[in-house]
Amino acid sequence: MTENKFEFRIEPLGKAHDRAAFSCGIAALDNYLITQARQDVEKRVSAVFICTPDVRTVAGFYTLSQYSVNVGALPERVARKLPKYPEVPTSLLGRLAVSEQFRGQGLGEHLLIDALYRCLRQSKEIASAAVVVDAKDANAASFYQHYGFIGFPGIADRLFLPMKTIQAMFEGKQSQRR
Ligand SMILES: CC(C)(COP(=O)(O)OP(=O)(O)OC[C@H]1O[C@@H](n2cnc3c(N)ncnc32)[C@H](O)[C@@H]1OP(=O)(O)O)[C@@H](O)C(=O)NCCC(=O)NCCS
């Protein structure tokens, strides 16, 4: 098995991926991939991306969809910089998991960076003010906090990263002034 995370491709969920063998230790995430993910893709409610070293093995996955956030749910210092609309469009990174077999070699980061970059690219065609994540527990929340995600006040385990921050990560601060 390769140990270089960049040798793991990230591609849309397809028939060749062996979903049944996936195990990340959180039953809800395993069951989602095994029983629900294909239907969600077919019904266009989630886009599912698989991280694989060989086209078949599922080393990790994430899901993306569009999501509307009530501006009142955001921290005041963030909300006051937004236009006075009741809701803002965002991108929802609903699930992200790495198989227990592949933990601790940078694949969680590889998936997260891929998801953030995909959201940034999409936001240039269909606007999105932030990436929102649903962390399944405090441990998952701390993974996202490690990358600068900010908690929603009063909503346990829901966090966000402003798209401007993501743009600065990939394109540098200069590009924001264009
Ligand atoms: C959270 C998870 C995705 C991390 O995957 P991973 O491949 O083991 O993580 P990586 O090897 O890419 O770690 C990248 C960085 O994140 C850090 N990290 C990993 N898990 C972390 C956690 N729970 N809390 C804080 N930091 C964490 C690592 O220390 C590493 O930091 P460094 O680059 O500064 O050394 C994985 O443990 C997982 O799938 N857990 C179960 C499902 C889950 O909780 N999903 C998240 C939300 S639904």
Side-chain angles (χ1 to χ4, degrees):
M1 188 195 68
T2 176
E3 298 229 328
N4 179 352
K5 66 183 176 184
F6 297 109
E7 289 173 25
F8 286 73
R9 286 169 51 85
I10 297 178
E11 58 196 20
L13 173 63
K15 289 196 172 132
H17 297 129
D18 181 13
R19 290 171 294 135
F22 183 79
S23 175
C24 75
I26 297 187
L29 290 169
D30 295 347
N31 290 340
Y32 173 81
L33 186 66
I34 294 163
T35 65
Q36 189 65 37
R38 280 191 66 84
Q39 288 179 51
D40 276 10
V41 172
E42 269 167 35
K43 292 177 181 160
R44 301 285 193 275
V45 295
S46 286
V48 181
F49 295 91
I50 300 293
C51 178
T52 177
D54 58 12
V55 180
R56 183 169 168 74
T57 310
V58 179
F61 77 98
Y62 68 77
T63 67
L64 289 179
S65 47
Q66 296 185 58
Y67 186 67
S68 180
V69 165
N70 185 322
V71 172
L74 292 165
E76 207 279 327
R77 72 190 153 80
V78 176
R80 71 168 174 256
K81 290 184 195 154
L82 292 167
K84 303 288 170 235
Y85 301 140
E87 297 190 332
V88 285
T90 64
S91 310
L92 180 67
L93 176 55
R95 299 174 179 85
L96 183 153
V98 172
S99 162
E100 284 179 315
Q101 192 192 338
F102 291 95
R103 291 279 173 79
Q105 40 181 300
L107 289 189
E109 176 171 289
H110 189 39
L111 283 163
L112 180 61
I113 298 296
D114 190 82
L116 295 180
Y117 190 53
R118 198 179 297 276
C119 291
L120 174 64
R121 284 199 319 264
Q122 296 290 325
S123 75
K124 294 176 184 187
E125 305 252 330
I126 302 175
S128 168
V131 173
V132 175
V133 292
D134 271 333
K136 293 290 172 244
D137 54 29
N139 189 42
S142 87
F143 172 71
Y144 291 120
Q145 282 159 350
H146 183 72
Y147 292 93
F149 277 78
I150 304 159
F152 279 79
I155 307 178
D157 299 334
R158 175 157 280 194
L159 304 95
F160 72 97
L161 197 59
M163 199 61 78
K164 277 195 165 187
T165 307
I166 298 169
Q167 184 175 19
M169 277 167 63
F170 290 104
E171 298 173 359
K173 291 194 193 314
Q174 292 260 323
S175 62
Q176 291 184 35
R177 294 197 203 106
R178 267 186 230 143

